[in-house]
């Protein structure tokens, strides 16, 4: 996990309104909260504790006879003068002092690009320092991992590899309009082609010097945060950042998050995609008015066909009553072994459980293991976890004597279905000499539902993997004691601004911190049966995000199915997947990475998404069956294959309810759960002081 940012000033940015998420026109408030570079450094520095670097680039238009005379002239890289400032940290000269030493440039047309990069390095044999610069003067700040699509050698870092690949890309502007250019004749690829190949989570900012173009974006599912400040009257700069500094979330001195009557905020979640901002001179009619360079923003299409299919999230087979797949030989054979499709819609849970166990037993006896959909999903998940956990860097302990107690990877752990599956698969992926930390947060001590299920989950994991050391880290919190943390979390969840977002953010932030207690009697570590203090140092955190969206785990999925059948269920699930970047992923990334740790999401691996889409919807869920059986059916069968029979029947519980932070928050802010529900069904914008 890294923190990246860019501040672009001195440029009239054109095209923002096409991608602005907020309703209404840009803010004209001259008292908009000011962005302070020092605060931005502090915010992204928490994400990347290994190093923090900055680099300034000044871009100016050279003086030529044609400047100001030819509206149609296409200015090339040879018309731009680019000046780098090596040690921006200790800069004492102003922009104009730098410009004045250049006699052949138009001083008024000066753009400044200020790159910031904080690094949490988890890959590569040698340390890297962002921003990265190649021999051509291109600059990259990268927050992400490359798990496929582009080859990364075992001893290389993802960002270094990507910078090297991008250096050979086409820099002709003609390629933007589908024209054959000099670069492509030599075999060069377009930048969107390279970026579209990346499998894994990413957000990046890349300056291509030869074309005078800034590239930026985030992956198709928004697994890495990237916020944008579109230029306004109050702050004309174009700003990108992994996270919001505290002082830019609003004008109020307390913890209020309401931004203004027009609902405009300084930051927005950048919609997923690949963007470019090309710097050029204004046309002749605008030069005397603007007296600054122009930057035109364009959004580019993904070029990978498989990725486009995953984004569209179309499933071939939806309804078993109408799809031809239901009548082919494979389905007929499976249907003979499956539960009867004519069974009543209201099924008692115990009867459904018994039928399900008979069904699983029949499948084991009659269908080869690799032909069972659950087996294919399990294999895809195992490969996903392998990609996210096998690395020479974090599988080598810092000191030999720490070997037995070293925990390179932790899991955000509730003891529920998703986290139990991840734990059992992780056990199969890393060496048995490593302890696995299971991070569990509770706002009601040992009585919270997630704490009860977590302790039961440890016992089940010990049965299926007796040679593994499992360490349950019990993180206990009292909401009334978290005044500072709550204020800090407001900046992390921003631009999200509901109590639900805050509750989830606090729970995730505390869990990721890993600072709690270990019950030696339960975990059976080092013959220590006492309860002792412990803080996890794992820098990789596995998180179960994406499982509910793809496998019909939410209550609203059951409602949609009841009202509209299979097609309505599919549409609701597709909507959830396509908006996960805005509702979940950016917020969760910012809260977890604030501890200098990296969240990895095995359920949102591209191959896992594809595998789940390849199966008919009725293989994924059977919502005629009771909760805990029919919802997320495919994952319950995966759990069964892993030997986790108890986990296979666990009901869905969101972290804010399982940890009981929602109950405590409702009592604190509204007096009771009922009052909170009456206020606005759990999505009230935060406007009360949390201190």
């Amino acid at each position: 996990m890294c923190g990246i940012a860019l501040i672009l000033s001195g440029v009239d940015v054109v095209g923002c309104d096409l991608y602005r998420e907020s309703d209404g026109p840009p803010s004209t408030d001259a008292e908009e909260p000011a962005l302070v570079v020092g605060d931005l450094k502090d915010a992204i520095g928490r994400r990347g504790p290994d190093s923090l670097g900055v680099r300034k680039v000044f871009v100016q238009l050279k003086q030529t006879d044609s400047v100001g005379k030819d509206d149609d002239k296409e200015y090339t890289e040879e018309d731009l003068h680019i000046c780098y400032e090596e040690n921006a940290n200790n800069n004492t000269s102003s922009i104009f002092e730098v410009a004045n030493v250049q006699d052949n440039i138009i001083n008024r047309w000066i753009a400044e690009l200020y790159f910031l990069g904080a690094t949490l390095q988890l890959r590569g044999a040698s340390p890297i320092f962002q921003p990265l610069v190649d021999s051509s003067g291109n600059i990259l700040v990268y927050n992400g991992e490359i798990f496929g699509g582009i080859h990364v050698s075992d001893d290389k870092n993802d960002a270094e590899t990507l910078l090297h690949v991008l250096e050979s890309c086409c820099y002709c502007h003609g390629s933007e309009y589908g024209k054959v250019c000099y670069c492509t004749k030599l075999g060069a690829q377009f930048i969107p082609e390279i970026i579209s190949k990346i499998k894994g989570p990413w957000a990046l900012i890349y300056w291509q010097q030869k074309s005078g173009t800034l590239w930026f974006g985030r992956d198709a599912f928004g697994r890495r945060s990237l916020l944008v400040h579109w230029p306004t009257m109050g702050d004309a700069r174009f700003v990108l950042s992994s996270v919001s500094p505290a002082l830019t979330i609003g004008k109020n001195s307390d913890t209020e998050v309401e931004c203004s009557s027009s609902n405009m905020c300084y930051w927005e979640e950048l919609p997923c995609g690949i963007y470019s901002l090309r710097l050029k001179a204004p046309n002749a009619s605008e030069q005397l008015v603007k007296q600054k360079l122009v930057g035109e923003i364009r959004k580019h299409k993904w070029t990978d066909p498989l990725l486009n299919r995953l984004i569209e999230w179309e499933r071939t087979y939806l309804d078993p009553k109408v799809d031809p797949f239901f009548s082919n030989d494979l389905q007929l054979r499976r249907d003979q072994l499956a539960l009867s499709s004519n069974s009543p819609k209201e099924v008692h849970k115990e009867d459904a459980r018994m039928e399900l166990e008979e069904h699983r037993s029949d499948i084991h006896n009659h269908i080869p293991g690799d032909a069972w959909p659950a087996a294919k999903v399990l294999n895809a998940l195992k490969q996903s976890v392998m990609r996210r956990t096998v690395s020479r860097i974090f599988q080598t302990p810092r000191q030999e004597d720490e070997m037995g107690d070293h925990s390179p990877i932790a899991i955000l752990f509730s003891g529920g279905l998703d986290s139990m599956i991840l734990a059992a698969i992780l056990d199969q992926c890393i060496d048995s000499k490593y302890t696995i930390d299971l991070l569990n947060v509770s706002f009601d001590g040992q009585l919270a539902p997630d704490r009860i299920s977590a302790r039961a989950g440890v016992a089940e994991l010990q049965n299926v993997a007796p040679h593994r050391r499992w360490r349950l880290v019990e993180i206990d919190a009292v909401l009334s004691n978290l005044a500072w943390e709550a204020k800090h979390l407001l900046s992390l969840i921003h631009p999200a601004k509901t109590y639900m977002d805050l509750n989830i953010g606090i729970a995730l932030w505390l869990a990721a911190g890993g600072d709690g207690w270990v019950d030696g009697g339960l975990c059976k570590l080092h013959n220590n049966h006492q309860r002792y203090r412990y803080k996890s140092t794992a820098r990789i955190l596995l998180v179960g995000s994406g499982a509910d969206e793809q496998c019909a785990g939410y209550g609203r999925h059951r409602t949609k199915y009841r009202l509209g059948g299979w097609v309505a269920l599919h549409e609701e699930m597709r909507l959830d997947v396509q908006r996960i970047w805005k509702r979940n992923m950016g917020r969760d990334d910012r809260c977890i990475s604030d501890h200098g740790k990296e969240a990895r999401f095995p359920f949102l691996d591209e191959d896992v998404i594809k595998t789940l889409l390849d199966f008919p919807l009725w293989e994924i869920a059977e919502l005629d069956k009771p909760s805990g059986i029919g919802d997320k059916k495919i994952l319950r069968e995966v759990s069964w294959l892993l030997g986790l029979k108890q986990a296979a029947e666990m009901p869905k519980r969101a972290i804010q309810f399982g940890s009981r932070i929602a109950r405590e928050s409702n009592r604190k802010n509204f007096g009771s759960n009922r009052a909170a529900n009456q206020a606005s069904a759990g999505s009230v914008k935060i406007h009360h002081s949390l201190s």
Side-chain angles (χ1 to χ4, degrees), residues 42 46 83 119 181 353 656 675:
D42 291 342
R46 293 175 64 92
C83 175
T119 304
C181 62
R353 182 184 294 111
Q656 66 269 33

Side-chain angles (χ1 to χ4, degrees), residues 555-676:
R556 62 177 175 272
H557 293 148
R558 189 175 294 274
T559 301
K560 287 289 183 179
Y561 175 74
R562 186 177 68 250
L563 297 176
W566 293 100
V567 174
L569 171 61
H570 170 73
E571 291 298 324
E572 184 71 12
M573 293 169 66
R574 179 169 62 179
L575 177 63
D576 281 342
V577 171
Q578 292 179 340
R579 67 185 178 185
I580 194 172
W581 64 272
K582 187 174 184 180
R583 298 189 64 172
N584 301 73
M585 303 312 299
R587 175 200 65 203
D588 297 355
D589 171 89
R590 293 188 292 274
C591 293
I592 292 171
S593 62
D594 189 57
H595 292 282
K597 300 184 179 184
E598 178 168 289
R600 295 184 176 176
F601 309 101
F603 289 103
L604 288 173
D605 179 88
E606 287 83 355
D607 289 344
V608 171
I609 298 173
K610 177 184 180 300
T611 300
L612 289 169
L613 281 174
D614 283 344
F615 293 117
L617 186 52
W618 60 87
E619 293 282 12
I620 304 300
E622 286 189 88
L623 298 186
D624 290 334
K625 304 296 185 292
S627 176
I629 294 179
D631 53 314
K632 299 165 73 171
K633 182 190 77 168
I634 192 77
L635 294 185
R636 298 186 188 282
E637 293 176 350
V638 168
S639 179
W640 185 275
L641 286 177
L642 290 166
L644 304 172
K645 296 183 180 181
Q646 179 178 306
E649 299 178 1
M650 290 294 296
K652 159 67 181 174
R653 238 186 347 253
I655 188 172
Q656 66 269 33
F657 303 118
S659 67
R660 286 197 169 157
I661 186 176
R663 185 188 70 174
E664 298 305 307
S665 175
N666 289 342
R667 288 175 176 176
K668 183 178 187 300
N669 294 296
F670 299 98
S672 68
N673 283 326
R674 176 177 296 180

Side-chain angles (χ1 to χ4, degrees), residues 1-293:
M1 182 64 60
C2 300
I4 62 175
L6 166 87
I7 303 174
L8 173 64
S9 54
V11 175
D12 182 29
V13 180
V14 179
C16 299
D17 292 342
L18 297 176
Y19 312 111
R20 196 185 303 270
E21 285 289 305
S22 298
D23 297 330
S27 172
T28 57
D29 190 348
E31 298 181 2
E32 195 171 25
L35 175 69
V36 180
V37 173
D39 296 333
L40 187 59
K41 287 182 180 179
D42 291 342
I44 69 169
R46 293 175 64 92
R47 298 171 58 94
D50 295 339
S51 66
L52 173 65
V54 300
R55 191 174 182 88
K56 283 185 181 180
V57 178
F58 301 102
V59 181
Q60 301 159 309
L61 193 68
K62 289 183 180 180
Q63 178 72 63
T64 68
D65 292 339
S66 62
V67 172
K69 298 179 181 180
D70 189 352
D71 292 3
D72 298 323
K73 175 177 172 58
E74 280 291 325
Y75 293 97
T76 69
E77 67 276 5
E78 296 185 1
D79 295 310
L80 296 176
H81 176 81
I82 300 174
C83 175
Y84 293 95
E85 188 171 332
E86 294 289 345
N87 189 10
N89 278 315
N90 299 317
N91 175 41
T92 57
S93 62
S94 71
I95 297 174
F96 294 100
E97 288 172 331
V98 174
N100 287 336
V101 301
Q102 306 293 339
D103 295 330
N104 63 332
I105 56 179
I106 301 174
N107 289 345
R108 66 177 181 269
W109 290 335
I110 305 171
E112 177 186 326
L113 296 91
Y114 187 19
F115 295 87
L116 301 91
T119 304
L120 171 69
Q121 186 168 349
L122 299 169
R123 199 168 182 178
S126 304
I128 68 163
F129 303 93
Q130 298 201 75
L132 296 171
V133 185
D134 63 22
S135 58
S136 300
N138 305 311
I139 300 175
L140 175 67
V141 284
Y142 185 69
N143 173 30
E145 302 287 340
I146 299 177
F147 296 131
I150 297 174
H151 175 69
V152 181
S153 301
D154 290 341
D155 61 341
K156 296 297 183 181
N157 178 269
D158 313 70
E160 284 181 316
T161 300
L162 181 60
L163 180 66
H164 175 72
V165 174
L166 290 174
E167 186 177 13
S168 62
C169 284
C170 171
Y171 54 85
C172 299
H173 297 305
S175 64
E176 298 177 3
Y177 306 100
K179 300 178 181 178
V180 177
C181 62
Y182 174 76
C183 300
T184 54
K185 289 180 180 179
L186 297 179
Q189 292 182 286
F190 303 143
I191 286 179
E193 288 181 308
I194 296 297
I195 296 177
S196 294
K197 292 179 180 179
I198 299 175
K199 289 187 176 182
W202 59 267
L204 64 80
I205 306 168
Y206 177 68
W207 167 250
Q208 188 182 45
Q209 176 177 310
K210 286 187 176 181
S211 66
T213 303
L214 183 74
W215 295 84
F216 58 96
R218 60 196 294 208
D219 73 75
F221 301 100
R223 291 164 291 186
R224 291 291 175 260
S225 169
L226 192 59
L227 303 180
V228 59
H229 166 70
W230 304 110
T232 61
M233 293 292 291
D235 189 341
R237 295 173 295 179
F238 172 76
V239 188
L240 297 165
S241 177
S242 298
V243 65
S244 164
L247 295 182
T248 59
I249 66 171
K251 296 179 288 186
N252 302 295
S253 59
D254 59 9
T255 57
E256 186 173 329
V257 180
E258 293 282 5
C259 296
S260 73
S261 59
S262 64
N263 200 31
M264 294 295 300
C265 293
Y266 189 91
W267 298 103
E268 292 182 9
E269 292 270 5
L270 180 73
C272 301
I274 305 168
Y275 302 80
S276 66
L277 189 156
R278 177 189 166 201
L279 299 184
K280 58 183 181 180
N283 60 42
S285 62
E286 297 176 324
Q287 286 177 10
L288 294 177
V289 177
K290 294 187 175 180
Q291 297 193 2
K292 60 172 64 174
L293 296 177

